[in-house]
C-alpha cells in the first residue's frame, strides 16, 4: 500500500531545499544552490576542441571551466549529416562524424561530478508537464510506469490523432516525436494538445537562437528546482506542497496555473512561526544523511562509505538480540537494513556502483526474502536502479543512475587535515618522520641549529616519550634541535627550519 506524501519547499535567495515526507519521515531530499545550479537538461552551442578516436569520444567546449564529454553513442545519427552505418558496435566512428572546430548543438545529460566534466548528447529533448519532445525523432514512446498494454495503446492512438490534427492545421508533415510521461496517464486531449504546442514553440525558439549564436551560448536552461517540483515530483500520492516564501509562492502559482494546473491546486503558502523544515526535523535528517553510521530501530546499524569508484554499505547487528535464535536475529536485521538502505540511497542521492554487505545468512529462503524486500523498496525510487542477486562472496551488487552530485559532495568537502582519507597519522608516526627528515637535512647542510615547528601534540611527544631519541639524534649530528609548537598546524604538518 502506497502512503500519501507531503512536499516541503524551503526557499532562500541563495538556496532551495525540498523534502518529500511520507509516514512522518523524510524520504527524499533535493538541494539546489543559486550559484551552483545543475546543468542537466541545458542546451548549448558547443565547439569540438578534441576528438579521441581511441575512446570514440570528443571533448566539447560549452563555456564551462572544464571541457564536456561526448561519446559516440550519444551522437544522434543526423547530428553531423552522416547516415548511420556499421562499425564494430553498429556506430559510425566518431572521427568520421565530428572534427575539431565544429559547432554542435548539445544537451547536458550528466552534471560535472568530481574531476569529470559534464556528459553531453546531441539527441536533444525538451521536457514538458505531460510530454517529452524529441525534435530529431518521429516515434511515440510511453513511460514504462504506465503498465497496462491497453492503456499504452490507447494513449499512443490519441497522440497520433492529436499530432495529425496539429500538423494539418500548420500545413506541415510530421516533425518530432514524443514520450508520454507518467502523469499523462489521465490527461485530457486538450491538456496533451497544449503541451504539444508549448514544446514545439519552445524548440522553435531554441533552434532559431542556435542558428545565430556563437559556441558557448546557453540556448535553453532547465527549470529551477521549485518549478521542477510541480512538473516532476507531483503525483496522485502528493496531498500538499507547502512553500515558506510568499514571493516564490506567487511565482510558483503563476507557473503552475500555466503549465501544471492539477498540481497548483495542492500548493499552499506556509505561514507558521517555526521554520518549515522543523515540522519533520528535516535538518536533523540531513545531518544523519552525512554521517557514515546509520542506526536501525532494532539496535543494528549500517556503515555507508562513498568513494569515487563505488559506494559500500555494511550491515551489522549491533545491539539487536530480539529474535529467538541467531539466524532469526540476522534475518530480521537484514530485512530492516534493506528498507533503510533503499531510503538512504534516495536521501543521499548515491549513484554509480553500490555494494551491499548483508550479514551472512545460512538459509536460502532468508536470502531470497531479503533480496525481494530490497527490490520492493527500490521500486519507489524515481531514479533507475538495477539489482543483481547475491554474489559468490555473499555481496549484493547494484547500480543507481547518477546524474547529479550526491548530497555529501554538494554539502561537504574533503577534510583539509586528512584530505578525505578519514584518518590521520599518529603523533608518533609524525615524530619519526621529523627525525628522519632532520637526519636527511644534516647530511646536506650544516646550520647552527635545527628548529622543529609542529603541532602541540607532536611537540609534546618529542619532549616526553621520544625525548631520548631526539637527544640521541642531536648528539649524532652534532647540532642542537629546538622545538616550537604552532597551534594553527594540523597533526600531520611540520616544518624544519635551518638556523
Amino acid at each position: 500500500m502506497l502512503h500519501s506524501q507531503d512536499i516541503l519547499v524551503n526557499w532562500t535567495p541563495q538556496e532551495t531545499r525540498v523534502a518529500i515526507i511520507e509516514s512522518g519521515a523524510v524520504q527524499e531530499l533535493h538541494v539546489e544552490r543559486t550559484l551552483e545550479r545543475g546543468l542537466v537538461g541545458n542546451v548549448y552551442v558547443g565547439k569540438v576542441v578534441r576528438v579521441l578516436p581511441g575512446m570514440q569520444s570528443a571533448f566539447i567546449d560549452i563555456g564551462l571551466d572544464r571541457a564536456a564529454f561526448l561519446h559516440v553513442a550519444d551522437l544522434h545519427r543526423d547530428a553531423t549529416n552522416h547516415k548511420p552505418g556499421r562499425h564494430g558496435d553498429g556506430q559510425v566512428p566518431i572521427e568520421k562524424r565530428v572534427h575539431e572546430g565544429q559547432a554542435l548543438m548539445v544537451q547536458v545529460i550528466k552534471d560535472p561530478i568530481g574531476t569529470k566534466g559534464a556528459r553531453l548528447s546531441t539527441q536533444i529533448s525538451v521536457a514538458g508537464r505531460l510530454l517529452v519532445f524529441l525534435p530529431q525523432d518521429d516515434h511515440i514512446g510511453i513511460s514504462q510506469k504506465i503498465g497496462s498494454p491497453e492503456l499504452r495503446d490507447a494513449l499512443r492512438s490519441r497522440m497520433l490523432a492529436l499530432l495529425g490534427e496539429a500538423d494539418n492545421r500548420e500545413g506541415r508533415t510530421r516533425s518530432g516525436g514524443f514520450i508520454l510521461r507518467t502523469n499523462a496517464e489521465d490527461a485530457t486531449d486538450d491538456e496533451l494538445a497544449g503541451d504539444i504546442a508549448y514544446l514545439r514553440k519552445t524548440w522553435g525558439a531554441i533552434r532559431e537562437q542556435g542558428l545565430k549564436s556563437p559556441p558557448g551560448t546557453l540556448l535553453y536552461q532547465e527549470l529551477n528546482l521549485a518549478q521542477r517540483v510541480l512538473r516532476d515530483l507531483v503525483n496522485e500520492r502528493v496531498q500538499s506542497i507547502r512553500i515558506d516564501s510568499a514571493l516564490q509562492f506567487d511565482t510558483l502559482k503563476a507557473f503552475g496555473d500555466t503549465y501544471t494546473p492539477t498540481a497548483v491546486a495542492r500548493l499552499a503558502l506556509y505561514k507558521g512561526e517555526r521554520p518549515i523544515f522543523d515540522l519533520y526535523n528535516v535538518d536533523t535528517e540531513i545531518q544523519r544523511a552525512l554521517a557514515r553510521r546509520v542506526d536501525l530501530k532494532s539496535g543494528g546499524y549500517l556503515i555507508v562509505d562513498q568513494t569515487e569508484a563505488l559506494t559500500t554499505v555494511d550491515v551489522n547487528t549491533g545491539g539487536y538480540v530480539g529474535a529467538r535464535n541467531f539466524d532469526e536475529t540476522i534475518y530480521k536485521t537484514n530485512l530492516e537494513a534493506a528498507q533503510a538502505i533503499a531510503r538512504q540511497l534516495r536521501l543521499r542521492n548515491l549513484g554509480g556502483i553500490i555494494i551491499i554487505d548483508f550479514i551472512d545468512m545460512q538459509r536460502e529462503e532468508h536470502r531470497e526474502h531479503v533480496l525481494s524486500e530490497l527490490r520492493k523498496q527500490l521500486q519507489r525510487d524515481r531514479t533507475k536502479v538495477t539489482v543483481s542477486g547475491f554474489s559468490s562472496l555473499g555481496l549484493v551488487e547494484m547500480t543507481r543512475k547518477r546524474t547529479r552530485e550526491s548530497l555529501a559532495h554538494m554539502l561537504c568537502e574533503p577534510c583539509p587535515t586528512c584530505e578525505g582519507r578519514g584518518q590521520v597519522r599518529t603523533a608518533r608516526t609524525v615524530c619519526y618522520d621529523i627525525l628522519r627528515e632532520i637526519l636527511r637535512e644534516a647530511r646536506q647542510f650544516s646550520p647552527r641549529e635545527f628548529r622543529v615547528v609542529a603541532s602541540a601534540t607532536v611537540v609534546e611527544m618529542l619532549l616526553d616519550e621520544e625525548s631520548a631519541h631526539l637527544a640521541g639524534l642531536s648528539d649524532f649530528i652534532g647540532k642542537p634541535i629546538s622545538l616550537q609548537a604552532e597551534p594553527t598546524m594540523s597533526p600531520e604538518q611540520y616544518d624544519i627550519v635551518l638556523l
Side-chain angles (χ1 to χ4, degrees), residues 141-177:
I142 310 290
S143 167
Q144 294 180 350
K145 293 185 179 180
I146 301 177
S148 165
E150 296 80 8
L151 181 57
R152 295 169 69 88
D153 289 341
L155 286 170
R156 185 175 284 106
S157 298
R158 288 172 58 196
M159 276 297 294
L160 289 171
L162 289 169
L163 290 172
E165 292 175 7
D167 291 336
N168 288 335
R169 282 196 307 270
E170 296 169 17
R172 64 180 179 187
T173 57
R174 172 81 174 279
S175 62

Side-chain angles (χ1 to χ4, degrees), residues 485-499:
E486 177 52 60
T488 61
M489 281 189 165
S490 72
E492 293 189 345
Q493 286 181 305
Y494 64 85
D495 281 324
I496 298 173
V497 183
L498 310 183
L499 300 177

Side-chain angles (χ1 to χ4, degrees), residues 4 11 31 46 77 81 99 127 157 185 187 190 208 236 242 271 318 320 327 340 368 380 394 408 441 460 486 492:
S4 61
W11 185 90
V31 180
R77 63 180 179 273
N81 297 320
H99 57 81
S157 298
E185 187 172 354
D190 286 344
E208 182 179 350
E236 68 280 358
R242 286 179 278 178
K271 300 179 180 179
Y320 179 51
D327 284 349
E368 291 177 358
R380 302 161 64 183
E441 296 286 342
E460 184 179 346
E486 177 52 60
E492 293 189 345

Side-chain angles (χ1 to χ4, degrees), residues 140-392:
I140 304 298
I142 310 290
S143 167
Q144 294 180 350
K145 293 185 179 180
I146 301 177
S148 165
E150 296 80 8
L151 181 57
R152 295 169 69 88
D153 289 341
L155 286 170
R156 185 175 284 106
S157 298
R158 288 172 58 196
M159 276 297 294
L160 289 171
L162 289 169
L163 290 172
E165 292 175 7
D167 291 336
N168 288 335
R169 282 196 307 270
E170 296 169 17
R172 64 180 179 187
T173 57
R174 172 81 174 279
S175 62
F178 289 87
I179 297 174
L180 281 85
R181 308 182 68 170
T182 308
N183 55 357
E185 187 172 354
D186 301 316
T188 65
D189 284 356
D190 286 344
E191 290 175 326
L192 291 172
D195 228 27
I196 291 170
Y198 161 72
L199 290 171
R200 282 182 164 171
K201 183 177 180 181
T202 301
W203 168 244
I206 294 172
R207 183 176 55 185
E208 182 179 350
Q209 186 181 355
L211 293 174
K212 58 186 180 183
S213 300
T217 302
L218 173 63
L219 302 177
Y220 170 80
Q221 187 171 30
E222 177 61 297
L223 302 178
N224 63 40
L225 177 56
Q227 294 167 328
R228 295 201 307 273
V229 167
L230 295 187
R231 189 191 70 185
D232 300 338
L233 302 185
V234 177
N235 53 43
E236 68 280 358
R237 296 168 57 197
V238 174
Q239 60 181 9
S240 71
I241 309 155
R242 286 179 278 178
I243 183 167
D244 59 1
S245 164
L247 176 64
Q248 286 303 304
F249 171 78
D250 293 337
T251 303
L252 210 53
K253 188 175 186 304
F255 171 82
D257 286 337
T258 304
Y259 300 112
T260 59
T262 56
V264 79
R266 307 171 208 185
L267 184 64
L269 175 62
Y270 175 73
K271 300 179 180 179
E273 293 184 2
R274 298 170 60 196
I276 190 170
F277 270 19
D278 283 6
L279 298 179
Y280 294 96
N281 296 317
V282 178
D283 284 316
T284 302
E285 286 292 343
I286 291 175
Q287 293 304 314
R288 290 175 180 167
L290 297 176
R292 287 184 69 225
R293 175 167 171 151
V294 180
D295 290 317
L296 305 177
K297 292 181 180 179
S298 65
Y301 62 93
L302 313 175
I303 296 295
V304 182
D305 284 313
Q306 183 183 358
T307 69
E308 187 171 348
L310 51 81
T311 297
T312 60
V313 183
D314 186 32
V315 183
N316 299 277
T317 54
Y320 179 51
V321 291
R324 291 168 295 178
N325 56 56
F326 188 57
D327 284 349
E328 285 296 318
T329 299
I330 291 173
Y331 173 56
K332 297 293 185 185
T333 303
N334 282 338
L335 273 181
E336 186 184 6
Q339 299 171 10
I341 289 168
R343 176 170 175 260
Q344 288 298 320
L345 296 183
R346 296 193 300 270
L347 279 177
R348 299 169 186 244
N349 193 25
L350 296 172
I353 300 171
I354 300 164
I355 307 295
I356 305 172
D357 185 8
F358 286 107
I359 307 167
D360 289 340
M361 293 171 282
Q362 300 300 319
R363 296 169 60 178
E364 184 62 31
E365 62 188 85
H366 284 176
R367 292 156 65 101
E368 291 177 358
H369 287 166
V370 168
L371 192 61
S372 175
E373 179 65 22
L374 177 65
R375 286 181 168 142
K376 174 185 172 184
Q377 296 297 325
L378 290 172
Q379 285 178 356
R380 302 161 64 183
D381 205 321
R382 303 173 197 274
T383 303
K384 183 179 179 181
V385 176
T386 305
V387 183
S388 302
F390 281 91
S391 70
S392 58

Side-chain angles (χ1 to χ4, degrees), residues 442 445-450 470 473-481:
F445 308 102
S446 183
R448 176 173 49 83
E449 176 188 336
F450 289 91
L470 185 66
L473 178 61
S474 179
D475 291 342
F476 180 76
I477 64 176
K479 304 288 182 181
I481 302 174

